[in-house]
Amino acid sequence: MFEIKTNKSLQSTPEEMDLLKGKIQAKIVKLRDLSEYTAKVIEDTEAELLQIFKEKSFDMTGLFALKKDDLKNTETEGMTVQLRLEELIIENNKRLIITNNSIEQEEAKYQNLKKSLVVQQFCSETLPRPGVKKKRSKIQTIGLPKIFGGSLDDYYEATGEKIPLVIESCIRTIKMFGMRHQGIFRVTGSHVDINKFEGAFENGEDPFACMVDENQINSVSGVLKSYFRKLNEPLFSEECFDQFMNITNIGENVEFVLKARDIVRQWSEPYIVVTRYLFSFLNDLSQYSEETQMDPYNIAICFGPNLCPIPEGKDLVQHTNLVNDLIKNFLIFCDDIFHDEIEGPLYIRTDGLDAGHDDQVQEDVTKDANEDQPKVQPEEAVALYDYKSGTA
């Protein structure tokens, strides 16, 4: 029997694999955009071709008044347009097939890298994690604190993790599939799916780990909002409510940032780390407002009631606008407010992942497709018999 050994010096490090995974993810996004654009071109071209067929006139009267040359020119022009559209449809169908095949290949690479990183317990979005205890297996989750309706401090004491898995998983999935999704956080997801996902997280599972597309992205965003809404103690607690309302009246300036920073310093570390992580993500998401139609204020409207509920006895009309302004200011100035260095995971922005253009992606796709095709060498053929033909 031979023992198979692998030279570790030839293996890629987890950091290199994670970097490659990010590049593949960016390429998949570009390929999907290219696929959607190509399919739209095909649809529009087919509609234009169908319109030409519908507009054909069967009235032959005018043809007798035309000269032969004019008749030929008219027929030639019509055929030229029709042929051009047919060729365009054929070329774009070829392009669509190649692009979709490339998407399948890149997704297979991505899933393989992802599994390898999971085996090595490596996750770039959550590094470093000082003093983190290993996650308990599903059988041992009975002793864990409640996820939905629990406390960030209790979760940290039980697991050693300042950011719960549900927050990490939701943000990672939205970052992967929902950063350009129109109406993200505004459009509600399926209540059945949201309840099912919440139950999975309570059982120590990650239902989003194997998600490969954006079909349920509204339910993912719904789970994230539901988690913060059900927290036993919200991020912006009732004890600090009046302080936050007072500084919100100051407006968007340096004084607001300084006073907000002083209030945040009174919080426990898990609450600071989670709030910093969340608002860094929301700030990143707001950069895509042209596609999502979710600018900082629209995002604040969706998150305000979940992060900073208005205490009983307060004027709802007056304080609702103040709460929305507070969340918007935190979103805009998150880097300045969370200026102090606190140990804990940092959100990694998507800057740089969208680099490149569709033309370059298409060039790479075509190049890969051509490289995959076997090259046929010309061969010389020799006839073995003479052949003569004739007619009877």
Side-chain angles (χ1 to χ4, degrees), residues 281-290 294-296 299 331:
F281 159 67
L282 295 178
N283 180 280
D284 190 18
L285 177 66
S286 68
Q287 309 303 315
Y288 302 91
S289 59
E290 290 187 4
M294 297 296 290
D295 58 18
I299 295 175
L331 190 158

Side-chain angles (χ1 to χ4, degrees), residues 6-13 16:
T6 304
N7 190 346
K8 293 185 177 181
S9 64
L10 300 178
Q11 291 181 318
S12 299
T13 63
E16 292 172 342

Side-chain angles (χ1 to χ4, degrees), residues 78-96:
M79 291 300 296
T80 301
V81 174
Q82 182 176 330
L83 288 173
R84 181 180 61 80
L85 293 176
E86 290 173 350
E87 290 174 357
L88 185 61
I89 292 173
I90 293 172
E91 289 300 320
N92 278 283
N93 271 294
K94 292 180 182 177
R95 186 186 193 189
L96 184 61

Side-chain angles (χ1 to χ4, degrees), residues 309-321:
I310 301 172
E312 294 183 5
K314 299 288 185 180
D315 187 345
L316 292 178
V317 177
Q318 175 187 355
H319 289 91
T320 296
N321 292 332

Side-chain angles (χ1 to χ4, degrees), residues 214-280:
E214 71 281 3
N215 289 339
Q216 294 178 300
I217 200 65
N218 289 325
S219 297
V220 175
S221 65
V223 171
L224 186 62
K225 290 194 297 182
S226 175
Y227 175 80
F228 285 110
R229 182 174 64 253
K230 294 179 180 179
L231 272 179
N232 189 24
E233 182 180 350
L235 290 188
F236 296 83
S237 63
E238 183 175 349
E239 289 75 13
C240 300
F241 184 82
D242 289 333
Q243 290 178 279
F244 280 122
M245 293 300 99
N246 290 334
I247 68 171
T248 302
N249 286 320
I250 296 174
E252 303 176 13
N253 52 37
V254 177
E255 186 178 357
F256 170 83
V257 172
L258 295 176
K259 290 184 178 297
R261 190 184 297 172
D262 290 337
I263 299 174
V264 169
R265 284 171 179 160
Q266 304 171 20
W267 296 356
S268 64
E269 283 193 9
Y271 274 81
I272 296 176
V273 172
V274 167
T275 308
R276 178 182 64 185
Y277 194 88
L278 173 66
F279 279 99
S280 294

Side-chain angles (χ1 to χ4, degrees), residues 291-310:
E291 291 95 335
T292 63
Q293 305 300 313
M294 297 296 290
D295 58 18
Y297 190 74
N298 288 335
I299 295 175
I301 291 175
C302 295
F303 272 92
N306 305 309
L307 303 180
C308 184
I310 301 172

Side-chain angles (χ1 to χ4, degrees), residues 183-198:
I184 187 74
F185 290 116
R186 186 183 71 242
V187 179
T188 57
S190 166
H191 291 289
V192 175
D193 289 341
I194 292 174
N195 291 334
K196 179 181 67 175
F197 293 148
E198 289 183 2

